[in-house]
Amino acid sequence: MEQLNIHRVPSQPFIRHGQQAKTSPSIPQSFSEQLNQAMMPTQLKISKHASGRLRERKIQITEHEWTRIFDKVNEAKVKGIKESLVLLDQAALIVSVKNSTVITAMDRKEMKDQLFTNIDGTIILS
């Protein structure tokens, strides 16, 4: 019959002198908590590029229109859209729904004969 050797393993990690103990990682969020956090509306940001385009093209978007854009972008986020074309009466915006950021803007005259790529949704507000 073979002899069985049992060794006791210490319950505390071994810390060498001069080293700091590793802290335990924070408790991970549940999937539903992460999903709810991802779905929460975040403020719509305007990139530096888009801000310049709005200014140089003299595109005026009212507070009411920004609110409507914000609501629709959050609705698009819930539906899984990542990049969207937002069409207004006087302008077109490309919005990163995933990052809640307006990427660029152009007026409707400039939009004519344009090809929009890498978008997976369109929001029409008129």
Side-chain angles (χ1 to χ4, degrees):
M1 181 184 237
E2 292 184 27
Q3 190 175 13
L4 184 62
N5 292 326
I6 300 176
H7 298 282
R8 183 166 180 245
V9 177
S11 61
Q12 296 294 321
F14 180 73
I15 301 173
R16 292 186 179 155
H17 183 60
Q19 288 183 342
Q20 293 183 359
K22 293 181 181 177
T23 58
S24 62
S26 61
I27 299 171
Q29 293 179 323
S30 71
F31 175 77
S32 63
E33 288 171 331
Q34 289 179 9
L35 180 63
N36 287 336
Q37 188 175 12
M39 295 300 194
M40 286 179 60
T42 58
Q43 184 178 357
L44 190 62
K45 300 175 286 266
I46 302 172
S47 71
K48 187 175 179 179
H49 174 78
S51 180
R53 294 286 187 232
L54 288 167
R55 193 173 36 260
E56 72 187 37
R57 293 169 177 158
K58 297 177 177 65
I59 299 170
Q60 300 293 321
I61 299 176
T62 66
E63 190 67 35
H64 176 70
E65 289 173 315
W66 280 120
T67 302
R68 289 179 62 210
I69 293 167
F70 173 77
D71 292 341
K72 288 298 183 180
V73 165
N74 284 315
E75 187 178 322
K77 184 182 275 190
V78 169
K79 294 183 183 231
I81 294 172
K82 293 178 178 57
E83 302 288 329
S84 181
L85 170 65
V86 178
L87 296 175
L88 303 163
D89 287 335
Q90 77 281 15
L93 310 172
I94 299 293
V95 178
S96 170
V97 175
K98 181 177 142 183
N99 299 322
S100 298
T101 304
V102 178
I103 298 170
T104 194
M106 64 185 70
D107 61 27
R108 291 293 287 238
K109 289 180 265 175
E110 191 177 23
M111 191 178 93
K112 193 174 182 178
D113 296 326
Q114 291 292 324
L115 177 66
F116 296 96
T117 60
N118 299 326
I119 60 169
D120 57 353
T122 301
I123 299 169
I124 302 171
L125 301 172
S126 53

